[in-house]
Amino acid sequence: MEKAVATAQAQPNIALIKYWGKRDVSRNLPAVGSLSLTLATLWTRMKVEFSTDFDRDCLQVDGEVAVDMLPRVSRCLDQVAGSNRPRASIESHCNFPIAAGLASSASAFAALVVAANKACGQASDIFDEETIAAVASRDTLALARLAGAASGSAARSLFGGIVELATGDDDIDVATLLAASTWPLRVVVAVTERGHKSVASGDAMILSEKSSPFYSSWIENQDHDLEVARSAVNDRDFEKLATVSEHNCLKMHSVMWTSRPPIVYWNQGTLACMEAIRDLQSAGQAVFFTMDAGPQVKAICQPDNEALVMQTLSEVDGVETIMSSGLGAAACILDDA
Ligand code: 2P0
């Protein structure tokens, strides 16, 4: 039996300056740059095994066969290992809720690309020469571009700390702006609903472009928000980062709300958490909120008020679970032993 196997881990990331909109749907290129925090304690682990003995790809997510997600995963493997590749068995494990606005596709596709690329390099006899040469030449940016082609936000999880993704001329550019240890921010996640989201974010972005009257001004102002956020990060200016991040998040949700039909990911718990965070801000606490394509609220704060933020959000009506994380590392290979 000819086989090649590797396992990788990636952490989800939370965007402060959001990706919403596609410049090129077929290549999945984002219409705007984005800036994000890679988390430390939430993860997806992906084991990819290619074998000439398999007659089809097979995906298991947390021990269950996942037929719906398989075509997207198979397409991503074709990009990494060539469309003539041997079929693969993929096992995914995740320590947080999937598809509920917690960026599970980001960590999943980042881990998938890293594991698949490593596996290809392990058993050259079952891949063609072109694939072997491509695999050997890939750096982290090349892996990020492959992950981004599968899921735009996944490109950012190839890097640790505070990460910026730029749209670039022909493809995205992604890099760490600030290492995780340089500014010890904390991210408190208030889970207000554990189900799958109502509209997939990719479809929702396309709907926003087609139907929201606010879409064009969202695109036009993004470079300005990125510049402000970048300078706030470089200066470790929490206030400035808070103001631009909340504004950018609310603009993205305004674009969603003004799409036809409207895309509303929030629930009552989301609004109650925002109000609790506003109260903390009024009491002088350095904390701000952000929400993505789901009802969960992420509160960004600092180590000295993390316990207070967690306690406050845990008492909000509608909050089911609280999780907390610092900033974490780039996607990496795990030792299969
Ligand atoms: C972000 N989101 O910047 C934004 C904010 C959701 C809201 O990136 O279509 O699942 O697969 O490229 O990566 C979620 O989008 O979208 C996302 P596709 P993805 O984090």
Side-chain angles (χ1 to χ4, degrees), residues 200-267:
S201 39
D203 297 338
M205 287 180 203
I206 294 167
L207 183 65
S208 289
E209 181 182 0
K210 277 192 192 141
S211 61
S212 170
F214 296 170
Y215 184 81
S216 56
S217 68
W218 157 255
I219 302 288
E220 276 162 30
N221 289 299
Q222 186 79 342
D223 282 347
H224 173 260
D225 287 3
L226 278 167
E227 199 179 309
V228 174
R230 198 182 305 124
S231 94
V233 167
N234 287 331
D235 298 343
R236 323 279 194 276
D237 185 334
F238 190 92
E239 261 321 293
K240 191 171 171 181
L241 187 62
T243 306
V244 71
S245 300
E246 286 193 351
H247 181 63
N248 189 268
C249 166
L250 293 174
K251 279 196 299 188
M252 179 186 73
H253 285 276
S254 303
V255 171
M256 295 171 177
W257 282 39
T258 50
S259 299
R260 292 181 177 183
I263 305 151
V264 180
Y265 287 115
W266 299 359
N267 60 23

Side-chain angles (χ1 to χ4, degrees), residues 99 117 159 170 175 180 202 253 266 291:
N117 196 66
F159 295 85
D170 180 53
H253 285 276
W266 299 359
M291 288 80 65

Side-chain angles (χ1 to χ4, degrees), residues 238-239 242 280-281 283-288 300-302 304-305 309:
F238 190 92
E239 261 321 293
L280 285 169
Q281 290 171 337
Q285 293 296 324
V287 57
F288 66 90
I300 321 304
C301 60
Q302 293 179 318
D304 62 353
N305 64 355
V309 171

Side-chain angles (χ1 to χ4, degrees), residues 42-202:
L42 310 185
W43 48 253
T44 301
R45 292 179 183 155
M46 283 274 182
K47 181 177 179 184
V48 177
E49 178 176 349
F50 293 104
S51 170
T52 49
D53 283 358
F54 299 149
D55 58 3
R56 68 175 81 91
D57 290 342
C58 176
L59 170 67
Q60 285 198 10
V61 176
D62 291 329
E64 306 270 328
V65 174
V67 180
D68 290 359
M69 287 167 69
L70 182 60
R72 204 167 157 202
V73 166
S74 293
R75 272 198 305 277
C76 181
L77 292 181
D78 290 348
Q79 298 282 310
V80 177
S83 45
N84 293 327
R85 65 178 170 82
R87 299 300 96 188
S89 160
I90 309 108
E91 286 173 33
S92 170
H93 291 276
C94 196
N95 72 344
F96 61 97
I98 292 173
L102 282 177
S104 58
S105 72
S107 49
F109 284 102
L112 181 73
V113 163
V114 172
N117 196 66
K118 174 78 176 181
C120 290
Q122 307 248 303
S124 54
D125 42 348
I126 61 170
F127 298 99
D128 59 38
E129 278 177 24
E130 202 182 324
T131 304
I132 294 158
V135 164
S137 70
R138 278 179 194 138
D139 58 7
T140 309
L141 177 60
L143 295 176
R145 286 173 170 171
L146 286 170
S151 174
S153 55
R156 301 186 308 236
S157 280
L158 263 294
F159 295 85
I162 303 182
V163 176
E164 182 171 358
L165 183 153
T167 46
D169 288 335
D170 180 53
D171 207 332
I172 54 167
D173 283 310
V174 203
T176 293
L177 205 55
L178 201 70
S181 57
T182 313
W183 196 11
L185 296 174
R186 305 293 303 179
V187 181
V188 175
V189 181
V191 177
T192 63
E193 196 177 302
R194 270 182 179 269
H196 279 241
K197 59 183 140 193
S198 45
V199 194
S201 39

